[in-house]
């Protein structure tokens, strides 16, 4: 059962919420079953889904349908079914918030990149989405032309450092086929990024391991190093 409420007060990890309807004390006791009462709280974005988000959603749904030779309504239903399963609530273009629109588009973009959907064109709205460039890297698809088995391009050169001794979480990347990878080096970073509207993206642990840039052991070793350095600095600062 969902209840709509309004936040009256906020203090750190504490919220005072006033619900529209009175909460039955006996019902709360029944739900608690002699334990603490727990709730799921969703913070609501008051801004509605933007016109850009709405437009991008519909053109991607159309392109997926064309690629699969299917009805756009059926594709939309399928994607909404998956969204509701993961988010535990339905999605509607008519009532979605801007935050919900972002979550929805991230899911649609992931489907497009992972499945290799052929798009009608390189939409400008799509190139404003960090998730597009993130999933291009994660699934090794060229962020310019969509070719598979793309190379992971370091936007900031790591120089002569041994790759195993570099924490790649600290460096931005772009996923490029060999043609556009060579072009990036020939044109230079600034000109290439501006020409093709590339947003350099920092990759998380999951993506770096999936594409083979780092191993879990490497990441754990760096984290241990950072922890040791932080403890040392705290110790020195306390003297």
């Amino acid at each position: 059962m969902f209840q709509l409420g309004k936040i009256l007060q906020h203090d750190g990890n504490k919220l005072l919420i006033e619900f529209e309807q009175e909460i039955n004390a006996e019902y709360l006791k029944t739900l608690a079953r002699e334990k603490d009462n727990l709730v799921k709280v969703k913070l609501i974005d008051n801004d509605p889904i933007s016109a850009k988000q709405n437009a991008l959603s519909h053109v991607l749904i159309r392109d997926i349908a064309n690629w699969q030779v299917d009805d756009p309504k059926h594709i939309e239903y399928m994607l909404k079914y998956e969204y509701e399963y993961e988010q535990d609530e339905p999605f509607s273009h008519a009532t979605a918030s801007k935050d919900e629109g972002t979550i929805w588009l991230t899911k649609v973009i992931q489907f497009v990149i992972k499945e290799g959907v052929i798009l009608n064109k390189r939409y400008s709205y799509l190139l404003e989405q960090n998730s597009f460039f993130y999933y291009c890297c994660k699934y090794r698809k060229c962020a310019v032309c969509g070719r598979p088995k793309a190379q992971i391009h370091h936007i900031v050169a790591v120089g002569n450092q041994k790759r195993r001794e570099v924490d790649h979480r600290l460096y931005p990347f772009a996923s490029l086929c060999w043609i556009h990878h060579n072009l990036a080096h020939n044109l230079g970073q600034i000109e290439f990024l501006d020409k093709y509207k590339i947003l350099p993206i920092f990759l998380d642990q999951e993506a770096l391991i999936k594409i083979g840039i780092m191993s879990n052991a490497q990441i754990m070793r760096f984290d241990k190093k950072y922890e040791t350095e932080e403890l040392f600095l705290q110790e020195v600062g306390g003297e």
Side-chain angles (χ1 to χ4, degrees):
M1 179 181 68
F2 289 95
Q3 289 273 12
L4 187 62
K6 179 172 67 175
I7 297 176
L8 299 181
Q9 187 176 333
H10 169 227
D11 180 16
N13 65 347
K14 299 180 179 66
L15 291 176
L16 177 61
I17 301 175
E18 179 183 56
F19 292 102
E20 290 185 334
Q21 299 178 5
E22 185 176 342
I23 309 299
N24 185 285
E26 290 301 317
Y27 183 56
L28 283 179
K29 186 185 296 184
T30 300
L31 292 178
R33 305 187 191 284
E34 299 183 355
K35 299 177 183 178
D36 292 333
N37 275 117
L38 301 176
V39 297
K40 290 182 179 180
V41 177
K42 177 185 177 181
L43 299 177
I44 297 175
D45 184 352
N46 285 324
D47 279 345
I49 185 172
S50 70
K52 282 187 176 183
Q53 287 178 314
N54 192 61
L56 179 59
S57 174
H58 283 97
V59 295
L60 291 180
I61 289 171
R62 182 200 62 201
D63 284 357
I64 294 171
N66 289 339
W67 175 72
Q68 290 193 335
V69 192
D70 201 346
D71 178 35
K73 290 184 178 180
H74 178 254
I75 296 298
E76 184 174 351
Y77 172 82
M78 177 192 70
L79 293 169
K80 285 182 175 180
Y81 179 85
E82 292 294 329
Y83 178 96
E84 184 171 359
Y85 177 79
E86 293 176 1
Q87 300 297 319
D88 199 27
E89 62 180 349
F91 177 83
S92 167
H93 288 93
T95 61
S97 68
K98 194 169 187 178
D99 182 56
E100 290 169 337
T102 298
I103 296 172
W104 164 259
L105 275 178
T106 297
K107 177 171 182 56
V108 177
I109 289 170
Q110 181 181 14
F111 180 90
V112 166
I113 302 302
K114 183 179 181 181
E115 301 300 328
V117 175
I118 298 174
L119 300 179
N120 186 46
K121 66 177 183 177
R122 202 163 175 257
Y123 302 108
S124 59
Y125 296 166
L126 181 61
L127 302 182
E128 296 176 8
Q129 309 297 318
N130 285 332
S131 57
F132 170 72
F133 295 96
Y134 172 82
Y135 287 120
C136 280
C137 286
K138 184 173 181 179
Y139 298 112
R140 285 189 178 271
K141 302 292 175 67
C142 180
V144 178
C145 65
R147 285 190 179 95
K149 299 180 180 180
Q151 301 168 353
I152 304 301
H153 173 57
H154 284 79
I155 301 299
V156 178
V158 296
N160 295 324
Q161 303 178 71
K162 293 182 180 179
R163 293 296 173 92
R164 290 182 60 82
E165 297 177 4
V166 174
D167 187 350
H168 295 278
R169 292 174 295 181
L170 306 179
Y171 293 87
F173 294 92
S175 182
L176 304 171
C177 67
W178 68 271
I179 295 174
H180 289 104
H181 199 172
N182 288 337
L183 190 58
H185 288 292
N186 293 334
L187 288 179
Q189 301 288 14
I190 296 176
E191 184 177 348
F192 178 80
L193 296 178
D194 182 65
K195 180 177 181 178
Y196 292 102
K197 309 303 178 187
I198 301 290
L199 291 179
I201 198 78
F202 289 88
L203 298 178
D204 55 19
Q205 177 173 331
E206 178 189 353
L208 287 167
I209 292 174
K210 177 177 176 60
I211 61 182
I213 299 293
M214 297 184 75
S215 67
N216 190 55
Q218 283 178 281
I219 291 172
M220 291 177 65
R221 187 169 68 248
F222 278 112
D223 288 345
K224 184 65 176 179
K225 175 186 175 183
Y226 299 148
E227 182 181 341
T228 302
E229 290 175 350
E230 184 179 353
L231 291 173
F232 174 76
L233 291 174
Q234 289 176 358
E235 190 71 24
V236 172
E239 292 182 356

PDB file of all heavy atoms in Angstrom, residues 148-161:
ATOM      1  N   PRO A 148      30.581  -2.675 -33.399  1.00  0.00           N
ATOM      2  CA  PRO A 148      30.895  -3.497 -32.223  1.00  0.00           C
ATOM      3  C   PRO A 148      32.408  -3.695 -32.071  1.00  0.00           C
ATOM      4  O   PRO A 148      33.187  -3.287 -32.938  1.00  0.00           O
ATOM      5  CB  PRO A 148      30.200  -4.820 -32.530  1.00  0.00           C
ATOM      6  CG  PRO A 148      30.191  -4.890 -34.028  1.00  0.00           C
ATOM      7  CD  PRO A 148      30.030  -3.473 -34.507  1.00  0.00           C
ATOM      8  N   LYS A 149      32.804  -4.315 -30.962  1.00  0.00           N
ATOM      9  CA  LYS A 149      34.210  -4.629 -30.657  1.00  0.00           C
ATOM     10  C   LYS A 149      35.074  -3.367 -30.690  1.00  0.00           C
ATOM     11  O   LYS A 149      36.196  -3.368 -31.207  1.00  0.00           O
ATOM     12  CB  LYS A 149      34.750  -5.685 -31.630  1.00  0.00           C
ATOM     13  CG  LYS A 149      34.002  -7.010 -31.570  1.00  0.00           C
ATOM     14  CD  LYS A 149      34.568  -8.024 -32.543  1.00  0.00           C
ATOM     15  CE  LYS A 149      33.799  -9.331 -32.469  1.00  0.00           C
ATOM     16  NZ  LYS A 149      34.330 -10.349 -33.417  1.00  0.00           N
ATOM     17  N   ALA A 150      34.529  -2.294 -30.137  1.00  0.00           N
ATOM     18  CA  ALA A 150      35.248  -1.024 -30.130  1.00  0.00           C
ATOM     19  C   ALA A 150      36.423  -1.057 -29.158  1.00  0.00           C
ATOM     20  O   ALA A 150      36.501  -1.909 -28.267  1.00  0.00           O
ATOM     21  CB  ALA A 150      34.295   0.115 -29.754  1.00  0.00           C
ATOM     22  N   GLN A 151      37.340  -0.130 -29.338  1.00  0.00           N
ATOM     23  CA  GLN A 151      38.495   0.028 -28.453  1.00  0.00           C
ATOM     24  C   GLN A 151      38.189   1.087 -27.411  1.00  0.00           C
ATOM     25  O   GLN A 151      37.444   2.020 -27.667  1.00  0.00           O
ATOM     26  CB  GLN A 151      39.729   0.427 -29.277  1.00  0.00           C
ATOM     27  CG  GLN A 151      40.084  -0.583 -30.355  1.00  0.00           C
ATOM     28  CD  GLN A 151      41.114  -0.055 -31.336  1.00  0.00           C
ATOM     29  OE1 GLN A 151      41.489   1.120 -31.303  1.00  0.00           O
ATOM     30  NE2 GLN A 151      41.570  -0.918 -32.236  1.00  0.00           N
ATOM     31  N   ILE A 152      38.771   0.924 -26.228  1.00  0.00           N
ATOM     32  CA  ILE A 152      38.546   1.881 -25.155  1.00  0.00           C
ATOM     33  C   ILE A 152      39.660   2.924 -25.202  1.00  0.00           C
ATOM     34  O   ILE A 152      40.833   2.615 -25.001  1.00  0.00           O
ATOM     35  CB  ILE A 152      38.509   1.183 -23.774  1.00  0.00           C
ATOM     36  CG1 ILE A 152      37.444   0.087 -23.775  1.00  0.00           C
ATOM     37  CG2 ILE A 152      38.236   2.200 -22.679  1.00  0.00           C
ATOM     38  CD1 ILE A 152      36.037   0.574 -24.074  1.00  0.00           C
ATOM     39  N   HIS A 153      39.254   4.145 -25.495  1.00  0.00           N
ATOM     40  CA  HIS A 153      40.200   5.236 -25.730  1.00  0.00           C
ATOM     41  C   HIS A 153      40.376   6.067 -24.460  1.00  0.00           C
ATOM     42  O   HIS A 153      39.409   6.558 -23.893  1.00  0.00           O
ATOM     43  CB  HIS A 153      39.670   6.109 -26.874  1.00  0.00           C
ATOM     44  CG  HIS A 153      40.455   7.357 -27.107  1.00  0.00           C
ATOM     45  ND1 HIS A 153      41.809   7.362 -27.374  1.00  0.00           N
ATOM     46  CD2 HIS A 153      40.065   8.664 -27.099  1.00  0.00           C
ATOM     47  CE1 HIS A 153      42.221   8.606 -27.537  1.00  0.00           C
ATOM     48  NE2 HIS A 153      41.185   9.409 -27.372  1.00  0.00           N
ATOM     49  N   HIS A 154      41.641   6.221 -24.022  1.00  0.00           N
ATOM     50  CA  HIS A 154      41.945   7.092 -22.882  1.00  0.00           C
ATOM     51  C   HIS A 154      41.889   8.552 -23.348  1.00  0.00           C
ATOM     52  O   HIS A 154      42.666   8.946 -24.225  1.00  0.00           O
ATOM     53  CB  HIS A 154      43.342   6.797 -22.326  1.00  0.00           C
ATOM     54  CG  HIS A 154      43.425   5.550 -21.504  1.00  0.00           C
ATOM     55  ND1 HIS A 154      43.501   4.294 -22.072  1.00  0.00           N
ATOM     56  CD2 HIS A 154      43.436   5.370 -20.162  1.00  0.00           C
ATOM     57  CE1 HIS A 154      43.574   3.393 -21.106  1.00  0.00           C
ATOM     58  NE2 HIS A 154      43.525   4.009 -19.944  1.00  0.00           N
ATOM     59  N   ILE A 155      40.980   9.308 -22.774  1.00  0.00           N
ATOM     60  CA  ILE A 155      40.902  10.731 -23.108  1.00  0.00           C
ATOM     61  C   ILE A 155      42.123  11.458 -22.563  1.00  0.00           C
ATOM     62  O   ILE A 155      42.679  12.351 -23.189  1.00  0.00           O
ATOM     63  CB  ILE A 155      39.606  11.358 -22.543  1.00  0.00           C
ATOM     64  CG1 ILE A 155      38.379  10.634 -23.109  1.00  0.00           C
ATOM     65  CG2 ILE A 155      39.544  12.854 -22.864  1.00  0.00           C
ATOM     66  CD1 ILE A 155      38.239  10.693 -24.609  1.00  0.00           C
ATOM     67  N   VAL A 156      42.538  11.082 -21.360  1.00  0.00           N
ATOM     68  CA  VAL A 156      43.764  11.615 -20.758  1.00  0.00           C
ATOM     69  C   VAL A 156      44.826  10.524 -20.849  1.00  0.00           C
ATOM     70  O   VAL A 156      44.653   9.447 -20.277  1.00  0.00           O
ATOM     71  CB  VAL A 156      43.548  12.020 -19.291  1.00  0.00           C
ATOM     72  CG1 VAL A 156      44.853  12.515 -18.681  1.00  0.00           C
ATOM     73  CG2 VAL A 156      42.466  13.089 -19.188  1.00  0.00           C
ATOM     74  N   ALA A 157      45.893  10.780 -21.578  1.00  0.00           N
ATOM     75  CA  ALA A 157      46.934   9.767 -21.772  1.00  0.00           C
ATOM     76  C   ALA A 157      47.584   9.400 -20.452  1.00  0.00           C
ATOM     77  O   ALA A 157      47.877  10.275 -19.620  1.00  0.00           O
ATOM     78  CB  ALA A 157      47.977  10.286 -22.752  1.00  0.00           C
ATOM     79  N   VAL A 158      47.806   8.106 -20.255  1.00  0.00           N
ATOM     80  CA  VAL A 158      48.456   7.651 -19.014  1.00  0.00           C
ATOM     81  C   VAL A 158      49.971   7.591 -19.186  1.00  0.00           C
ATOM     82  O   VAL A 158      50.689   7.217 -18.267  1.00  0.00           O
ATOM     83  CB  VAL A 158      47.922   6.258 -18.590  1.00  0.00           C
ATOM     84  CG1 VAL A 158      46.455   6.346 -18.260  1.00  0.00           C
ATOM     85  CG2 VAL A 158      48.175   5.223 -19.686  1.00  0.00           C
ATOM     86  N   GLY A 159      50.451   7.973 -20.363  1.00  0.00           N
ATOM     87  CA  GLY A 159      51.888   8.072 -20.587  1.00  0.00           C
ATOM     88  C   GLY A 159      52.598   6.734 -20.552  1.00  0.00           C
ATOM     89  O   GLY A 159      52.089   5.726 -21.031  1.00  0.00           O
ATOM     90  N   ASN A 160      53.768   6.741 -19.975  1.00  0.00           N
ATOM     91  CA  ASN A 160      54.594   5.535 -19.926  1.00  0.00           C
ATOM     92  C   ASN A 160      54.320   4.662 -18.710  1.00  0.00           C
ATOM     93  O   ASN A 160      55.053   3.715 -18.447  1.00  0.00           O
ATOM     94  CB  ASN A 160      56.080   5.930 -19.949  1.00  0.00           C
ATOM     95  CG  ASN A 160      56.476   6.583 -21.258  1.00  0.00           C
ATOM     96  OD1 ASN A 160      55.985   6.203 -22.319  1.00  0.00           O
ATOM     97  ND2 ASN A 160      57.349   7.579 -21.192  1.00  0.00           N
ATOM     98  N   GLN A 161      53.295   5.002 -17.948  1.00  0.00           N
ATOM     99  CA  GLN A 161      52.971   4.205 -16.775  1.00  0.00           C
ATOM    100  C   GLN A 161      52.516   2.805 -17.192  1.00  0.00           C
ATOM    101  O   GLN A 161      51.857   2.634 -18.214  1.00  0.00           O
ATOM    102  CB  GLN A 161      51.843   4.858 -15.967  1.00  0.00           C
ATOM    103  CG  GLN A 161      52.121   6.271 -15.512  1.00  0.00           C
ATOM    104  CD  GLN A 161      50.930   6.853 -14.775  1.00  0.00           C
ATOM    105  OE1 GLN A 161      50.613   6.468 -13.662  1.00  0.00           O
ATOM    106  NE2 GLN A 161      50.247   7.781 -15.429  1.00  0.00           N
TER     107      GLN A 161
END
